[in-house]
Amino acid sequence: SLCFPQKLWKMLESGKFQSIWWSEGGKCVAINKDLLEVEVLGREGQQVFRTQKIKSFMRQLNLYGFTKMQRDFQRSASLPEFLAEEAAAAAHSQILYYYNPSFNRAHPSLLERCKRK
């Protein structure tokens, strides 16, 4: 049986899920929290992970050394642009970004360094 980082890697590489993907050129994992709960954690019968709770999934990320990244949005000075950016930022607030230096799409050999704390 695969450990958590291996399952996560396999899932990202499969391209079968819309709730989780590589971002930042394969250096970060992007997660649509609400969609992940339905698409991955709520699957009957064929569970990918041992949990059905998003908090447990995130705890696993933390246990394996992933850190949550903050997204920096540059704000415009004009009101219409600012409001449009606010709407985009609100849509993005459902997206969580996690980083682990040993979890990099371009360097699968680093995966073995992802150890549980």
Side-chain angles (χ1 to χ4, degrees), residues 39-116:
E39 186 184 45
V40 179
L41 303 178
R43 293 175 81 152
E44 294 295 322
Q46 56 177 132
Q47 277 189 296
V48 180
F49 301 100
R50 287 192 190 130
T51 184
Q52 291 181 310
K53 295 186 171 75
I54 192 74
K55 282 188 175 190
S56 299
F57 178 82
M58 291 178 177
R59 193 176 303 118
Q60 286 292 316
L61 285 169
N62 292 324
L63 281 171
Y64 280 95
F66 286 82
T67 53
K68 191 172 175 183
M69 306 293 289
Q70 294 301 321
R71 303 302 295 161
D72 293 327
F73 289 100
Q74 297 296 318
R75 301 289 188 212
S76 293
S78 78
L79 184 61
E81 283 181 33
F82 177 81
L83 293 172
E85 287 166 8
E86 280 297 305
H92 260 282
S93 70
Q94 289 302 316
I95 313 291
L96 305 174
Y97 296 89
Y98 281 88
Y99 170 77
N100 181 325
S102 299
F103 200 86
N104 186 314
R105 188 177 196 177
H107 303 285
S109 60
L110 293 176
L111 191 56
E112 61 191 43
R113 291 188 193 170
C114 284
K115 301 279 189 230
R116 194 174 169 133

